[in-house]
């Protein structure tokens, strides 16, 4: 029996389900999938991050006496070739994303494919309400996970020590350039070992609830990119944080990640459709959308958030909520447009969290903010970036501006010497518009 261990979103050797379940002769592989890569621009930062992570994984596997064969191509072709080489089965981790499910189904028609759940704490099939149906609202779901919370430690997978590497000649490692990409600079924290990042964060854990919403403060763990690509497992994070008496609010956020993945598993259509059965008459003004993407809406907090996203591939959670509310409620643009744009840009892009969070902001999700709760971006920036430290760090032309003006509608524009765009929409008028639109969509009846 020659097994293929297909690493995808689990680029680690610790607490890894496929290394625990594998038996005998194995070939660990990673495929740079052309179906995904061909759609990305040559300066995509994620490809640089994944590339470096894959090379690290190769070294880690070598330390276990194994190795990693790295392919560049269409997974179907790769597996057809591997079948000819006498491989009999594939082990990989579960991925609920639409494309991943389709791809896995195709591969399973070439050779038996066994998927293990290890990118999330729970197996979505196993958590159901009293009527044996999936939860749709976070709080009861969260309460149903009390058994996890009460556990001081969740058992991690242990690597099978009796694995041996199949003799296979695949030494070539495709370069980024061969795949059509150029190496991109990445923020320092991404270069750090995620276990080290968590350790440093644990010293700030007690302040998490207090600081996590303040944009210019380093109040969160910044672990989402490592977690997305599985450089650390959610169990490892849980086990590292659970012993701290102040860990509950942090673990609650990890459970949000679980919830969103759970929703995508049970309601796969929600990746593309409103979860609530409503038809919203979106305005979908292309010029407004372009200005939102480029960070030229005339609202300093929105512009700074979007320009930072475009440059760094990162966005603070509070900013994600502000720009998502602004796009869907003030500009009345379909959440799918924003979701797609985030998918292109976010280093930590994860379909489940992104889709559910956008549906939350747009009031179309299963557990969403009510449509009449529209964030006022100026009040938000006043509260969460009072001194304008974040805004000024991204928009240097506003450096000398009195911070109070940043938090006032048309405040910055009152300075005639500044070259700053006019607001593309009035906050008050757009609030009234969204309210009318959702009433017409019979939101109250769902
Ligand atoms: C519109 C919108 C889109 C989003 N898109 C994504 C996405 O594509 N990928 C993604 O990982 N997160 C997404 N989030 C959730 C959240 O913004 C990020 O997980 C968080 O900013 C990551 O920073 P951190 O690791 O410092 O978080 P911390 O506050 O340190 O939280 C620890 C971990 O808990 C999870 N988490 C925290 N908050 C949330 C949340 N609200 N929803 C789900 N999981 C959460 C993340 O895995 C995070 O890494 C989105 C939120 C919004 C409002």
């Amino acid at each position: 029996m020659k097994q293929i261990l297909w690493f995808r979103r689990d680029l680690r050797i610790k607490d890894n389900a496929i290394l625990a379940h594998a038996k005998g002769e194995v070939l660990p592989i990673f495929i740079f999938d052309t179906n995904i890569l061909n759609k990305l621009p040559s300066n995509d930062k994620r490809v640089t991050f994944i590339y470096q992570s894959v090379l690290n994984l190769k070294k880690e596997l070598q330390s276990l006496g194994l190795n990693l064969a790295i392919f560049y191509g269409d997974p179907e072709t790769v597996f057809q070739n591997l079948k000819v080489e006498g491989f009999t089965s594939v082990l990989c981790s579960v991925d609920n994303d639409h494309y991943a499910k389709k791809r896995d189904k195709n591969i399973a028609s070439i050779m038996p494919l066994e998927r293990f759940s290890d990118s999330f704490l729970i197996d979505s099939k196993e958590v159901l309400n009293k009527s044996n149906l999936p939860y749709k609202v976070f709080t009861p779901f969260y309460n149903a996970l009390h058994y996890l919370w009460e556990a001081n430690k969740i058992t991690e997978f242990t690597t099978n020590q009796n694995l041996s590497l199949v003799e296979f000649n695949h030494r070539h490692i495709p370069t980024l350039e061969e795949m059509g990409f150029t190496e991109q600079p990445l923020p320092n924290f991404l270069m750090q070992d995620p276990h080290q990042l968590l350790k440093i964060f644990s010293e700030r854990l007690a302040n998490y609830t207090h600081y996590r919403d303040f944009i210019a403060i380093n109040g969160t763990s910044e672990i989402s990119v490592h977690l997305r690509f599985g450089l650390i497992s959610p169990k490892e994070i849980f086990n590292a944080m659970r012993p701290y008496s102040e860990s509950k609010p942090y673990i609650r956020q990890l459970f949000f990640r679980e919830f969103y993945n759970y929703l995508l598993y049970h309601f796969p259509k929600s990746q593309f459709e409103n979860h609530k059965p409503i038809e919203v008459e979106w305005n979908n003004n292309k010029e407004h959308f372009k200005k939102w993407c480029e960070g030229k809406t005339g609202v300093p907090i929105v512009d700074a958030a979007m320009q930072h996203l475009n440059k760094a591939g990162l966005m603070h959670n509070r900013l994600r909520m502000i720009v998502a509310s602004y796009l869907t409620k003030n500009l009345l643009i379909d959440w799918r447009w924003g979701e797609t744009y985030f998918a292109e840009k976010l280093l930590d892009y994860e379909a489940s969290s992104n889709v559910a969070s956008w549906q939350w902001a747009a009031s179309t999700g299963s557990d969403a903010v009510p449509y009449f709760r529209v964030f006022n971006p100026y009040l938000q920036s006043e509260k969460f970036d009072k001194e304008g430290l974040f805004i000024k760090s991204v928009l240097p032309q506003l450096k000398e501006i009195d911070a109070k003006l940043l938090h006032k509608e048309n405040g910055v524009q009152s300075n005639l010497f500044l070259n700053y765009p006019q607001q593309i929409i009035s906050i008050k008028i757009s609030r009234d518009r969204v309210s009318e639109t959702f009433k017409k969509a019979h939101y109250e009846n769902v």
Side-chain angles (χ1 to χ4, degrees):
M1 191 167 77
K2 293 204 293 185
Q3 290 183 324
I4 297 166
L5 310 185
W6 186 10
F7 287 82
R8 293 115 58 107
R9 50 170 308 158
D10 51 346
L11 306 178
R12 62 175 184 280
I13 58 168
K14 236 182 126 232
D15 187 33
N16 187 309
I18 57 177
L19 285 171
H21 289 89
K23 286 191 186 81
E25 280 195 297
V26 297
L27 179 71
I29 70 164
F30 183 86
I31 306 172
F32 281 100
D33 182 343
T34 44
N35 299 315
I36 299 174
L37 295 187
N38 289 349
K39 294 193 186 112
L40 303 177
S42 61
N43 63 354
D44 193 292
K45 288 178 187 304
R46 288 166 296 199
V47 180
T48 296
F49 181 76
I50 296 169
Y51 191 77
Q52 290 172 357
S53 305
V54 166
L55 295 187
N56 282 341
L57 175 66
K58 185 174 174 74
K59 277 192 210 134
E60 289 181 351
L61 286 164
Q62 282 167 343
S63 75
L64 298 180
L66 300 173
N67 205 333
L68 185 71
I70 304 172
F71 295 88
Y72 169 55
D74 179 352
E76 266 187 72
T77 316
V78 172
F79 280 99
Q80 265 147 3
N81 292 339
L82 287 170
K83 190 175 181 183
V84 175
E85 299 281 341
F87 287 94
T88 46
S89 63
V90 191
L91 273 56
C92 60
S93 67
V94 171
D95 194 337
N96 288 331
D97 175 69
H98 176 75
Y99 167 71
K101 285 201 297 193
K102 203 169 106 209
R103 177 193 57 197
D104 290 356
K105 211 170 151 199
N106 288 341
I107 302 303
S109 69
I110 300 171
M111 65 175 87
L113 178 137
E114 215 178 335
R115 302 189 343 147
F116 298 91
S117 171
D118 84 342
S119 304
F120 291 87
L121 295 170
I122 60 159
D123 183 339
S124 300
K125 294 190 286 296
E126 286 169 7
V127 179
L128 296 170
N129 66 18
K130 283 193 185 122
S131 318
N132 246 355
L133 292 169
Y135 292 99
K136 290 185 180 172
V137 175
F138 178 70
T139 305
F141 169 83
Y142 176 72
N143 293 337
L145 297 194
H146 66 92
Y147 69 95
L148 272 186
W149 170 251
E150 279 154 23
N152 285 326
K153 198 169 172 18
I154 308 176
T155 311
E156 295 176 14
F157 290 113
T158 331
T159 299
N160 179 352
Q161 299 297 326
N162 298 318
L163 300 177
S164 62
L165 184 66
V166 173
E167 287 243 353
F168 184 77
N169 183 11
H170 190 81
R171 292 216 187 88
H172 178 67
I173 302 174
T175 63
L176 274 176
E177 288 69 28
E178 276 167 40
M179 298 191 284
F181 293 89
T182 48
E183 190 174 338
Q184 296 299 304
L186 295 173
N188 283 343
F189 75 89
L190 280 190
M191 298 293 105
Q192 263 174 285
D193 172 7
H195 304 89
Q196 188 61 21
L197 268 186
L198 263 196
K199 197 161 180 291
I200 298 168
F201 172 68
S202 66
E203 285 154 28
R204 307 196 305 267
L205 183 64
N207 294 326
Y208 180 69
T209 309
H210 193 65
Y211 288 142
R212 63 181 290 259
D213 277 315
F214 291 94
I215 297 152
I217 292 178
N218 190 7
T220 67
S221 64
E222 298 184 313
I223 204 79
S224 57
V225 186
H226 292 94
L227 188 52
R228 166 65 184 88
F229 297 107
L231 277 72
I232 188 164
S233 77
K235 272 189 257 161
E236 286 182 277
I237 300 183
F238 180 92
N239 289 340
M241 291 297 152
R242 178 65 185 86
Y244 293 96
S245 57
E246 316 90 347
S247 63
K248 205 164 188 173
Y250 182 75
I251 285 173
R252 186 182 153 85
Q253 290 312 118
L254 279 183
F255 286 5
F256 260 110
R257 176 177 180 269
E258 295 294 320
F259 181 53
Y260 290 157
N261 180 60
Y262 172 89
L263 286 181
L264 187 61
Y265 172 81
H266 287 288
F267 307 100
K269 282 190 187 160
S270 68
Q271 190 164 349
F272 308 105
E273 293 172 10
N274 293 341
H275 192 112
K276 279 193 200 299
I278 47 167
E279 291 259 348
V280 183
E281 218 180 290
W282 302 108
N283 185 40
N284 289 350
N285 177 319
K286 287 196 179 131
E287 192 51 36
H288 282 178
F289 181 62
K290 186 165 179 278
K291 292 209 155 115
W292 177 84
C293 294
E294 291 172 352
K296 292 184 181 159
T297 65
V299 182
I301 191 73
V302 174
D303 294 346
M306 294 306 293
Q307 290 190 28
H308 182 60
L309 172 69
N310 292 336
K311 201 166 158 207
L314 303 168
M315 197 188 281
H316 189 281
N317 182 59
R318 176 56 50 178
L319 292 172
R320 298 185 204 206
M321 296 199 290
I322 296 171
V323 302
S325 174
Y326 183 79
L327 186 80
T328 55
K329 301 290 177 58
N330 297 105
L331 300 182
L332 201 57
I333 287 177
D334 194 327
W335 62 267
R336 284 164 279 217
W337 292 28
E339 197 276 331
T340 306
Y341 192 72
F342 268 28
E344 283 166 24
K345 298 284 172 188
L346 277 177
L347 271 159
D348 69 8
Y349 167 64
E350 166 88 66
S352 54
S353 287
N354 202 44
V355 164
S357 301
W358 272 96
Q359 293 234 37
W360 174 85
S363 303
T364 56
S366 69
D367 186 4
V369 65
Y371 73 85
F372 44 82
R373 238 195 91 203
V374 182
F375 280 25
N376 180 321
Y378 294 97
L379 296 181
Q380 290 286 315
S381 66
E382 186 173 34
K383 200 162 168 196
F384 299 113
D385 190 27
K386 197 171 176 56
E387 307 303 325
L389 294 177
F390 169 74
I391 294 177
K392 292 182 179 194
S393 73
V394 183
L395 305 173
Q397 69 271 41
L398 302 183
K399 227 177 189 145
E400 304 304 325
I401 286 280
D402 180 352
K404 285 197 192 103
L405 288 178
L406 301 171
H407 313 309
K408 230 175 113 190
E409 209 168 333
N410 283 324
V412 171
Q413 290 83 350
S414 67
N415 183 330
L416 299 177
F417 298 103
L418 261 185
N419 181 14
Y420 196 74
Q422 291 297 315
Q423 276 203 125
I424 55 175
I425 202 137
S426 136
I427 298 300
K428 160 92 178 74
I429 295 173
S430 55
R431 265 185 92 101
D432 294 345
R433 179 177 65 174
V434 75
S435 193
E436 287 309 311
T437 306
F438 271 80
K439 275 185 202 149
K440 264 199 254 162
H442 303 292
Y443 184 91
E444 285 89 351
N445 303 339
V446 295

